[in-house]
Amino acid sequence: MPEMTIAEALREGIREEMRRDPSVFCLGEDIGIPGGFGGAFTVTLGLSDEFGHDRILDTPISEIGIAGVAIGAAMTGMRPIADVQYGDFLFCMMDQLANQAAKMTYMSGGTVKVPLVMRAPVGSTRRGSQHAQSLEAFFTHIPGLKVLAPSTAYDAKGLLKSAIRDDNPVLIFEHKLLYGSKGGRSEKGALTAVGEVPSEDYVVPIGKGVVRRTGKDVTIVGKLLTVYRALEAAQELAQEGIEAEVIDPRTLIPLDKEIILESVRKTGRLVVVEEDNITHGWGAEIAAMVAEEAFFYLDAPIKRVAAPDTPPPFAPPMEAFYVPSTARVVSAVKSLF
Amino acid sequence: MPEMTIAEALREGIREEMRRDPSVFCLGEDIGIPGGFGGAFTVTLGLSDEFGHDRILDTPISEIGIAGVAIGAAMTGMRPIADVQYGDFLFCMMDQLANQAAKMTYMSGGTVKVPLVMRAPVGSTRRGSQHAQSLEAFFTHIPGLKVLAPSTAYDAKGLLKSAIRDDNPVLIFEHKLLYGSKGGRSEKGALTAVGEVPSEDYVVPIGKGVVRRTGKDVTIVGKLLTVYRALEAAQELAQEGIEAEVIDPRTLIPLDKEIILESVRKTGRLVVVEEDNITHGWGAEIAAMVAEEAFFYLDAPIKRVAAPDTPPPFAPPMEAFYVPSTARVVSAVKSLF
Amino acid sequence: MLVTTSIEPPTRAELLHLYHEMLLIRRFEEQCNALFLQGKIPSTLHLYIGQEAVAVGVCSALRPDDFVLGTHRPHGHALAKGVSSRSIMAELFGKVTGCCKAKGGSMHVGDMAVGMFPAIAIVGANAPIAVGSALSAKMRGTQQVTIAFFGEGGSNEGAVHEAMNMAAIWQLPVLFICENNLYGASTPISQVVAVENVADRAAAYGIPGVIVDGNDVLAVQEATRIAVERAREGKGPTLLECKTYRLCGHSRSDACNYRTRDEEAEWRDKDPLVRLSRYITEVAQLATAEEIAQVAEEVEAIMQDAINFAEESPEPQPEEALLHVFWEGN
Amino acid sequence: MLVTTSIEPPTRAELLHLYHEMLLIRRFEEQCNALFLQGKIPSTLHLYIGQEAVAVGVCSALRPDDFVLGTHRPHGHALAKGVSSRSIMAELFGKVTGCCKAKGGSMHVGDMAVGMFPAIAIVGANAPIAVGSALSAKMRGTQQVTIAFFGEGGSNEGAVHEAMNMAAIWQLPVLFICENNLYGASTPISQVVAVENVADRAAAYGIPGVIVDGNDVLAVQEATRIAVERAREGKGPTLLECKTYRLCGHSRSDACNYRTRDEEAEWRDKDPLVRLSRYITEVAQLATAEEIAQVAEEVEAIMQDAINFAEESPEPQPEEALLHVFWEGN
Ligand SMILES: Cc1ncc(C[n+]2csc(CCOP(=O)(O)OP(=O)(O)O)c2C)c(N)n1
Ligand SMILES: Cc1ncc(C[n+]2csc(CCOP(=O)(O)OP(=O)(O)O)c2C)c(N)n1
Ligand SMILES: [Mg+2]
Ligand SMILES: [Mg+2]
């Protein structure tokens, strides 16, 4: 099986789906210009060579327009994959996503569908407050959207393919430090999430989480980059005799609640790790869900490890303080024993 | 002391602050046109007679512009009170609120301030999906914003005055069914939250919750309309011998955690009631916070009563199903015993 | 560019059809108002009275498979595009037989089976979606045209700007129909637009900006035909401004005290229905007053049927609120 | 309307000052590039090389208490408005002495003490904020003018449309300066704007749309002066399009393969610094080549000082991340 970075895996996923289905196309800023960037993180690099500029459609800097165009095309027989250069810009198209895309099927009494995909990079990477946010929690709270967060190359391709074939609006959050983009677009502090990716057609089903490491003492739930932080923490903890189970939900909406509950029923302890601000973050729902549905299995308070309630700061020492570290995960786990 | 509706109390609060401080002004759509509406729910009705159209400034239908103008004015010596006709339209100005207003003080290293107020009506009132949402959870997750949710006339005026005098961006969510607006703007199913409101100057401090009813058996936390649902439920429960303590945080950010924790430490049981969609809603944070900070005091799972994960439906029977009822609060509480 | 009625005169059948369509909208809206006051329509309402010539003029120049995107004031758009009066009325009543199964309500009526998108109540937000629909038609090679209606107030939304620009650079088959009824809620256009005509904004995108008397259904139809032809030929979008007036309140129980009774009277004299019936009977002399009255009777029958249908249809079960958050198939 | 250099010739002191300002920006950006490659600047960078005549031309026509709002490419705007090179460089280094205490970074440099808003990296989002600043100046009666810079790419944002319309209807003292450098990241203007000039869009708002050679600092200054005068007199906003070119990549390590080397060479011949120094020494003959070199030395000293300052300044403590989420006083 070929090894790929996440950027490559996404690119191959788009390529295969575009070959398979003529209604699939991409749109976004700087995604297909010859000599250009192939999107902010190279995901669409080279695709316009094969598919031309009608199907790898470069847009003006008009985020409301990009989202609206994707919705209108999706409602009339196409399957757009829209690209936003940084997740932070989703706020510019929030009305289109929250009030239009997410509600259209519902408001029409189920008579129309909106099969669109929106891809958005998240994560703090020394670019300051407006190019760094993790926005998952804003979108997991909008009924009508599906929300994915792949952390491996295999999942990235498989989930993207599921998203393209899904008849609903699907947001995919991708972490800048996991892309493995090369050259000018390589990122300081990046992890190389290179992995084996089948060349034959496969999908990863939406709504299924995965246990990344088994353990009996504590459950750690992470997503995107924090899956890796959780795994590093688990290794350290193992040396002190604490066996952590690490769960990667992969799909945030719909959530595989059962995989989390099953683990907590076994371990009796839960730590949720995410890069976003702690208060009213994504982790709050995981904690609240478990506090309701597995309360009697819990042996300790539920801990969340997340960014403090500040915008992402620029300078590296402050940014490192902001983004949850492996050490913080370790100490949160230990505080439960 | 005069009795007032919330709409009247807000109007008097604006009037007093505009008299006191010439830098305070209002802007929004249809807020001051003679013969017009005085905003979607009459809050600014008549104010342009006293303050003129420069200080009660009618804007084009341009939500990005309204928010941006408020920010720019706030950063240069004014204290704008911006009005959005329905909270749902906040999504149209989300970038200005989330990326600009909330982050400006931080990104500038604390060298600039953004003393603006944004008022937004929420709640489901037979207008369909795009005029009905409760958006608090989107904004309580944005560091740099303060978020208020007054449920009485006294608090509405007192908190509004605090907000106007605050040097940070403050969002005030107001519930359509609590305004008590009269005439053409009266709402089906409205509660009349008429209350005594002092004529002399007073403020309600930001960050202080209030116990609306004391009880020893269970803590119910509500906000806006659901404070009243909680109180109704408490009355019913009392007849069955369950004494509920009802807490109205009034300020969502910063949250008066201690008032909630103190109550839960006493009662050992928590139910959170809100009108928004349950998953990743505002209640999730309250539950998660208690599951971490008062875990060992809890005698039962934490329950949330909220809307299901659907957009707000139009038809009255479905809307009534969507909006949490008193009966649902009662049965959630009972399930804990 | 000012469009006047084309030289080629419309036939009697065409004229009576246009009158029928316009009267249906008028009567539908008048009935809505009455039914609202009787407490039978639980929804808020933005009525289309006075603007009938716009929706009917535009939609009568379209193919059935063309698309229309309406606004918060969409009953007229929907009826003109062929959504059944039964299913709209049932929707307003909150009945399961409604075109949106009672989930949408007044501001979201639509029926994709006849090319009417669910209407969008966020002012301006339908424009970029219309552009996407037009892009899709171009990609699929169907020559379908898409219409985005919006008000002069809506023309100040950023979404409309982004949409017009994208349509222009890609030369898409979309028409931006601005219904300039002089007010956005209570706000007069003079206070919020600094140019004389909304159509002047076409200059920002290099597309035609056309102004038409929006109370003259034949003029609207003709202007639309020209723009539609351009669009189908791949020559791109048009911004068509229809000057009109709302002969009713902005929404339910609006006393319209922000405008004068004189101004209203002036516009009542330009009532598009009166004008069309006069044109038919007096100018073209293609039908008699009795024949016009005959149309009114037909319309009345349709209306009564729609109301009966709505009244007799069942309400949804409360738990139906849980359905259709995601696509569940046809 | 095309503005050419005014008849009244600038003085020697003025010219040398303009040259000094422009060279400072040029050298600042060149040094940034080098320091980035050396790993001393941790930030991403959008450099202003080639566009110096715009920021300096505009800002030299302002009062110190006027306001400027920059973009994602703000070093030039900030330096021209008088933010100290020390505090900008320290900010880029991520040091506490930075103008944003190392919280902002390259894309948010600013200093309200000299009228420079923290720069805004969301394309187009600064325009409505600039309108608010102008409204505030009008309300406070200060006659301050506010400048919003944005690119030709940014002119397609809805935020810019809403802002220009609001400024127009309220006749506010704000200048919309479009730096048309032909590309938005990799995207050429011809692909995203259907009109010849961004200035043509002024027609949508009934405000003056002015085009100027953005590589001619004197022309930019003159055009700005005219617009500023209008604004201070209460006659409202101007859209001023400065035709220019970025003589560097869009952001760090952009090989610019989306444009031709020929095109770049053409524009290098129009380098605004070379043009100004030629004008000073050859046309106006107000200073010698040696005197120009003298300015360069001064600039070098300032640069070295700024770099030293940044290098020697302390990094923030990690926990300082927690400060300044809310206003903590002066
Ligand atoms: C984004 C947004 N802002 C505000 C509103 C509230 N609103 C509904 S209709 C309306 C006036 C619209 O005016 P115009 O576009 O001229 O259309 P008209 O009502 O005259 O048909 C307003 C302000 C809305 N629905 N959406
Ligand atoms: C809302 C938003 N969309 C996209 C971007 C990413 N982005 C940063 S700069 C840029 C190009 C801007 O082009 P232009 O406005 O012409 O300014 P220039 O870079 O040429 O100075 C883009 C797309 C952004 N920062 N903000
Ligand atoms: Mg109007
Ligand atoms: Mg540019």
Side-chain angles (χ1 to χ4, degrees):
Chain A
M1 253 193 288
E3 297 232 318
M4 285 185 196
T5 63
I6 287 185
E8 287 162 347
L10 290 167
R11 192 181 307 134
E12 287 318 299
I14 295 173
R15 192 190 305 277
E16 288 174 20
E17 292 301 301
M18 286 185 70
R19 284 185 184 156
R20 188 185 58 75
D21 181 350
S23 69
V24 178
F25 73 102
C26 294
L27 76 164
E29 296 159 16
D30 302 293
I31 64 169
I33 306 270
F37 310 114
F41 295 93
T42 75
V43 170
T44 52
L45 197 65
L47 290 177
S48 60
D49 296 343
E50 175 169 353
F51 300 106
H53 296 286
D54 288 342
R55 291 184 71 197
I56 304 291
L57 184 62
D58 284 290
T59 68
I61 311 177
S62 301
E63 284 75 18
I64 307 172
I66 291 169
V69 164
I71 294 167
M75 291 175 72
T76 53
M78 302 299 291
R79 290 187 174 272
I81 307 172
D83 178 289
V84 64
Q85 298 199 337
Y86 289 81
D88 314 69
F89 311 159
L90 291 174
F91 286 139
C92 298
M93 52 171 89
M94 195 77 177
D95 169 67
Q96 288 291 335
L97 296 174
N99 282 333
Q100 317 306 334
K103 296 182 172 51
M104 206 61 86
T105 295
Y106 192 78
M107 296 194 307
S108 72
T111 62
V112 303
K113 62 181 177 186
V114 191
L116 73 81
V117 174
M118 176 73 63
R119 299 181 30 253
V122 296
S124 209
T125 53
R126 305 179 161 193
R127 289 175 169 92
S129 293
Q130 295 180 338
H131 289 69
Q133 294 164 86
S134 294
L135 289 97
E136 298 91 302
F138 292 95
F139 295 94
T140 51
H141 186 50
I142 301 174
L145 300 181
K146 297 188 179 179
V147 183
L148 314 184
S151 68
T152 68
Y154 180 90
D155 286 350
K157 182 171 167 189
L159 281 171
L160 175 70
K161 281 167 155 271
S162 287
I164 294 170
R165 298 177 193 185
D166 198 287
D167 282 326
N168 298 286
V170 182
L171 255 83
I172 308 185
F173 288 103
E174 302 161 4
H175 200 287
K176 289 163 213 155
L177 295 183
L178 295 180
Y179 276 125
S181 310
K182 303 246 169 61
R185 289 276 130 185
S186 72
E187 295 291 321
K188 249 208 177 98
L191 295 188
T192 340
V194 171
E196 295 198 332
V197 176
S199 311
E200 56 275 22
D201 189 34
Y202 74 99
V203 295
V204 172
I206 291 176
K208 278 274 155 230
V210 63
V211 177
R212 295 279 177 213
R213 182 187 196 282
T214 51
K216 60 178 188 5
D217 300 324
V218 60
T219 301
I220 311 180
V221 178
K223 63 175 157 58
L224 295 166
L225 187 66
T226 61
V227 170
Y228 296 89
R229 298 277 177 265
L231 288 168
E232 288 156 20
Q235 275 203 307
E236 281 190 37
L237 289 162
Q239 285 161 14
E240 310 194 28
I242 298 174
E243 289 300 331
E245 180 142 304
V246 176
I247 292 177
D248 176 0
R250 300 192 291 194
T251 298
L252 309 185
I253 298 288
L255 180 71
D256 188 349
K257 285 186 190 184
E258 201 39 52
I259 201 171
I260 296 171
L261 289 170
E262 197 180 303
S263 178
V264 172
R265 280 186 225 116
K266 177 173 72 177
T267 64
R269 288 177 171 80
L270 174 64
V271 173
V272 189
V273 195
E274 64 168 326
E275 188 174 321
D276 198 2
N277 306 114
I278 188 160
T279 300
H280 293 281
W282 173 80
E285 174 62 33
I286 308 302
M289 186 269 290
V290 169
E292 175 160 0
E293 301 188 26
F295 177 77
F296 293 109
Y297 294 89
L298 284 172
D299 297 322
I302 299 171
K303 283 268 172 194
R304 290 174 287 163
V305 178
D309 289 328
T310 80
F314 158 62
M318 292 193 286
E319 193 184 71
F321 175 86
Y322 175 88
V323 176
S325 62
T326 302
R328 284 181 57 206
V329 181
V330 169
S331 80
V333 168
K334 285 204 211 157
S335 77
L336 302 183
F337 289 89
Chain B
M1 252 193 290
E3 297 232 316
M4 284 185 197
T5 64
I6 286 186
E8 287 162 347
L10 289 167
R11 190 182 308 135
E12 287 318 299
I14 294 172
R15 192 191 304 277
E16 287 174 21
E17 292 302 299
M18 286 184 71
R19 283 184 185 156
R20 189 186 57 76
D21 181 350
S23 69
V24 178
F25 73 103
C26 295
L27 76 164
E29 297 159 16
D30 301 294
I31 63 168
I33 306 270
F37 310 113
F41 296 92
T42 74
V43 170
T44 53
L45 197 64
L47 290 177
S48 60
D49 296 343
E50 175 170 352
F51 300 106
H53 296 286
D54 288 340
R55 291 184 71 197
I56 304 291
L57 184 62
D58 284 289
T59 68
I61 311 177
S62 302
E63 284 75 19
I64 306 173
I66 292 169
V69 164
I71 294 167
M75 291 174 73
T76 53
M78 301 299 290
R79 292 187 173 271
I81 306 171
D83 178 289
V84 62
Q85 297 199 336
Y86 288 80
D88 313 68
F89 312 160
L90 291 174
F91 287 139
C92 298
M93 52 171 86
M94 195 77 177
D95 168 67
Q96 288 291 335
L97 297 174
N99 283 333
Q100 316 305 335
K103 296 182 172 52
M104 206 61 86
T105 296
Y106 192 78
M107 297 194 306
S108 73
T111 62
V112 303
K113 63 180 176 185
V114 191
L116 73 81
V117 174
M118 175 74 61
R119 298 181 31 253
V122 296
S124 207
T125 53
R126 304 180 163 193
R127 289 175 170 91
S129 293
Q130 295 180 337
H131 287 70
Q133 295 164 85
S134 294
L135 289 96
E136 298 91 303
F138 292 95
F139 294 94
T140 49
H141 185 52
I142 300 174
L145 300 181
K146 297 188 180 179
V147 183
L148 315 184
S151 68
T152 68
Y154 180 91
D155 285 351
K157 183 172 167 190
L159 281 171
L160 174 70
K161 281 166 155 272
S162 286
I164 293 170
R165 298 177 193 183
D166 199 288
D167 282 325
N168 297 285
V170 182
L171 254 84
I172 307 184
F173 288 103
E174 301 161 4
H175 200 288
K176 288 163 212 154
L177 295 182
L178 295 180
Y179 276 125
S181 310
K182 303 246 171 59
R185 289 276 130 184
S186 72
E187 296 290 320
K188 253 211 175 98
L191 295 188
T192 339
V194 170
E196 294 197 332
V197 176
S199 310
E200 56 275 20
D201 189 35
Y202 75 99
V203 295
V204 171
I206 291 177
K208 278 274 154 226
V210 63
V211 177
R212 295 280 177 211
R213 182 188 196 280
T214 52
K216 60 177 186 8
D217 300 323
V218 59
T219 302
I220 311 180
V221 178
K223 64 175 156 58
L224 295 167
L225 187 65
T226 61
V227 171
Y228 295 90
R229 299 277 178 263
L231 287 168
E232 287 157 20
Q235 276 203 307
E236 281 190 36
L237 289 162
Q239 285 164 13
E240 310 194 29
I242 299 175
E243 289 300 331
E245 181 142 304
V246 175
I247 292 177
D248 176 0
R250 301 193 289 194
T251 298
L252 309 184
I253 298 288
L255 180 70
D256 187 349
K257 286 187 190 184
E258 201 38 52
I259 201 171
I260 296 171
L261 289 169
E262 197 180 303
S263 178
V264 171
R265 279 186 224 117
K266 176 173 73 177
T267 65
R269 289 177 170 81
L270 174 64
V271 173
V272 189
V273 195
E274 64 169 326
E275 188 174 321
D276 198 1
N277 306 113
I278 188 160
T279 301
H280 293 281
W282 173 80
E285 173 63 31
I286 308 302
M289 186 269 290
V290 170
E292 175 159 1
E293 300 189 27
F295 177 77
F296 293 108
Y297 294 89
L298 283 172
D299 297 323
I302 299 171
K303 284 268 172 194
R304 289 175 287 163
V305 178
D309 289 327
T310 80
F314 159 61
M318 293 193 286
E319 193 183 72
F321 176 85
Y322 174 88
V323 176
S325 61
T326 302
R328 284 181 56 206
V329 181
V330 169
S331 80
V333 169
K334 286 204 212 157
S335 77
L336 301 183
F337 289 89
Chain C
M1 171 159 58
L2 192 77
V3 171
T4 49
T5 306
S6 103
I7 326 286
E8 186 82 64
T11 66
R12 171 189 147 91
E14 279 164 4
L15 286 169
L16 287 177
H17 176 70
L18 292 174
Y19 186 74
H20 180 279
E21 293 291 288
M22 284 168 60
L23 188 62
L24 181 64
I25 296 174
R26 172 69 54 93
R27 291 296 300 137
F28 190 95
E29 298 294 61
E30 287 172 348
Q31 289 283 8
C32 278
N33 202 40
L35 292 160
F36 173 78
L37 293 173
Q38 290 164 39
K40 293 202 171 150
I41 292 183
S43 165
T44 188
L45 288 172
H46 301 95
L47 303 179
Y48 199 68
I49 294 172
Q51 303 181 202
E52 296 88 348
V54 181
V56 172
V58 168
C59 292
S60 65
L62 300 181
R63 290 194 329 213
D65 68 339
D66 288 333
F67 291 109
V68 165
L69 283 95
T71 64
H72 59 283
R73 194 182 300 291
H75 307 171
H77 308 139
L79 286 166
K81 188 62 177 68
V83 182
S84 87
S85 49
R86 279 185 165 204
S87 76
I88 304 175
M89 192 57 88
E91 186 64 28
L92 303 187
F93 272 65
K95 300 299 183 72
V96 280
T97 52
C99 54
C100 303
K101 304 208 176 101
K103 285 221 159 73
S106 164
M107 290 195 272
H108 304 297
V109 296
D111 181 355
M112 280 300 253
V114 298
M116 177 77 193
F117 276 66
I120 289 170
I122 302 294
V123 168
N126 61 348
I129 300 177
V131 174
S133 167
L135 174 68
S136 160
K138 189 177 175 182
M139 285 179 155
R140 292 178 295 110
T142 61
Q143 295 210 303
Q144 289 161 294
V145 166
T146 303
I147 304 291
F149 285 104
F150 54 88
E152 85 299 332
S155 81
N156 293 324
E157 285 280 7
V160 175
H161 168 71
E162 297 189 8
M164 291 207 273
N165 183 55
M166 288 168 110
I169 58 172
W170 296 329
Q171 295 284 288
L172 296 179
V174 55
L175 272 54
F176 299 101
I177 310 287
C178 179
E179 304 192 63
N180 179 353
N181 61 7
L182 303 184
Y183 294 87
S186 69
T187 307
I189 181 168
S190 58
Q191 250 181 264
V192 290
V193 173
V195 284
E196 182 140 346
N197 306 296
V198 175
D200 299 345
R201 295 190 163 166
Y205 315 103
I207 64 175
V210 181
I211 297 162
V212 72
D213 178 346
N215 282 19
D216 177 349
V217 68
L218 297 175
V220 173
Q221 188 189 56
E222 181 65 14
T224 306
R225 275 199 188 126
I226 294 169
V228 164
E229 204 170 285
R230 255 185 76 86
R232 285 208 221 283
E233 284 170 1
K235 293 186 182 152
T238 297
L239 169 56
L240 175 60
E241 176 179 4
C242 304
K243 307 270 194 190
T244 184
Y245 198 77
R246 133 168 89 60
L247 291 173
C248 59
H250 166 65
S251 58
R252 58 179 176 87
S253 47
D254 164 13
C256 293
N257 290 330
Y258 46 84
R259 59 189 200 187
T260 65
R261 296 299 86 90
D262 281 357
E263 184 183 276
E264 289 175 354
E266 233 174 76
W267 279 94
R268 224 178 298 277
D269 289 345
K270 301 185 217 167
D271 185 324
L273 274 152
V274 176
R275 279 173 67 180
L276 180 60
S277 75
R278 280 220 192 105
Y279 176 84
I280 297 175
T281 55
E282 293 168 24
V283 182
Q285 301 199 339
L286 286 170
T288 63
E290 289 68 41
E291 288 168 308
I292 292 285
Q294 173 76 35
V295 173
E297 269 174 50
E298 285 164 33
V299 164
E300 231 43 52
I302 295 172
M303 274 312 307
Q304 208 41 64
D305 170 68
I307 296 170
N308 291 344
F309 177 78
E311 298 241 34
E312 287 158 20
S313 292
E315 291 204 311
Q317 292 304 307
E319 313 78 49
E320 287 177 47
L322 299 174
L323 304 176
H324 303 304
V325 177
F326 293 107
W327 174 248
E328 294 168 15
N330 282 315
Chain D
M1 170 160 56
L2 193 78
V3 171
T4 49
T5 307
S6 105
I7 326 283
E8 185 82 64
T11 65
R12 170 188 148 91
E14 279 165 3
L15 287 170
L16 287 177
H17 176 69
L18 292 174
Y19 185 75
H20 180 280
E21 293 292 288
M22 285 168 60
L23 188 62
L24 181 65
I25 296 175
R26 173 68 53 94
R27 292 296 299 137
F28 190 96
E29 298 295 60
E30 287 172 350
Q31 289 283 8
C32 278
N33 202 39
L35 291 161
F36 174 78
L37 294 173
Q38 290 164 38
K40 294 203 171 148
I41 292 183
S43 165
T44 188
L45 289 172
H46 301 94
L47 303 179
Y48 199 67
I49 295 172
Q51 304 181 202
E52 297 88 347
V54 181
V56 172
V58 168
C59 293
S60 66
L62 300 181
R63 291 195 327 215
D65 68 339
D66 288 333
F67 291 110
V68 165
L69 283 94
T71 65
H72 58 283
R73 196 180 299 291
H75 307 170
H77 308 139
L79 287 166
K81 190 61 178 64
V83 182
S84 88
S85 49
R86 279 184 164 203
S87 77
I88 304 175
M89 191 58 88
E91 185 65 28
L92 304 185
F93 272 64
K95 301 298 183 75
V96 280
T97 53
C99 53
C100 303
K101 304 209 176 99
K103 285 219 158 74
S106 165
M107 291 194 272
H108 304 297
V109 295
D111 181 354
M112 280 300 252
V114 298
M116 176 77 193
F117 275 68
I120 288 171
I122 302 294
V123 168
N126 61 348
I129 300 175
V131 174
S133 167
L135 174 68
S136 160
K138 188 175 176 185
M139 285 178 155
R140 292 177 296 110
T142 62
Q143 295 211 303
Q144 288 161 294
V145 165
T146 302
I147 304 291
F149 286 104
F150 55 88
E152 84 300 330
S155 81
N156 292 325
E157 286 281 6
V160 174
H161 167 73
E162 297 189 9
M164 291 208 272
N165 183 55
M166 288 168 110
I169 58 172
W170 295 330
Q171 294 284 286
L172 296 179
V174 55
L175 272 55
F176 299 101
I177 309 287
C178 178
E179 303 191 62
N180 179 352
N181 62 6
L182 303 184
Y183 295 86
S186 69
T187 306
I189 181 168
S190 58
Q191 251 181 267
V192 291
V193 173
V195 283
E196 181 139 347
N197 307 296
V198 175
D200 299 345
R201 294 189 165 169
Y205 316 103
I207 63 175
V210 181
I211 296 163
V212 72
D213 178 347
N215 282 18
D216 177 348
V217 67
L218 297 175
V220 173
Q221 188 189 55
E222 181 64 12
T224 306
R225 275 199 188 127
I226 295 169
V228 163
E229 204 170 285
R230 255 184 75 86
R232 285 206 220 285
E233 285 169 0
K235 292 185 183 152
T238 297
L239 169 56
L240 175 59
E241 176 178 5
C242 304
K243 307 268 193 190
T244 185
Y245 198 77
R246 138 169 84 61
L247 292 173
C248 59
H250 166 64
S251 57
R252 59 180 176 86
S253 47
D254 165 13
C256 292
N257 290 329
Y258 47 83
R259 59 189 199 186
T260 65
R261 297 300 85 91
D262 280 358
E263 183 182 277
E264 290 175 354
E266 232 174 76
W267 281 92
R268 225 178 297 277
D269 288 345
K270 302 185 215 165
D271 185 324
L273 274 152
V274 176
R275 279 174 68 182
L276 179 60
S277 76
R278 279 218 194 106
Y279 176 84
I280 297 174
T281 55
E282 294 168 25
V283 182
Q285 301 198 340
L286 287 170
T288 63
E290 289 69 41
E291 287 168 307
I292 293 285
Q294 172 77 33
V295 173
E297 267 173 51
E298 285 164 33
V299 164
E300 232 42 54
I302 295 173
M303 275 311 308
Q304 209 41 63
D305 170 68
I307 296 169
N308 292 345
F309 176 79
E311 297 242 33
E312 286 158 19
S313 291
E315 291 205 311
Q317 292 304 309
E319 314 76 48
E320 288 178 45
L322 299 174
L323 303 177
H324 302 305
V325 176
F326 294 107
W327 175 249
E328 296 169 13
N330 283 315

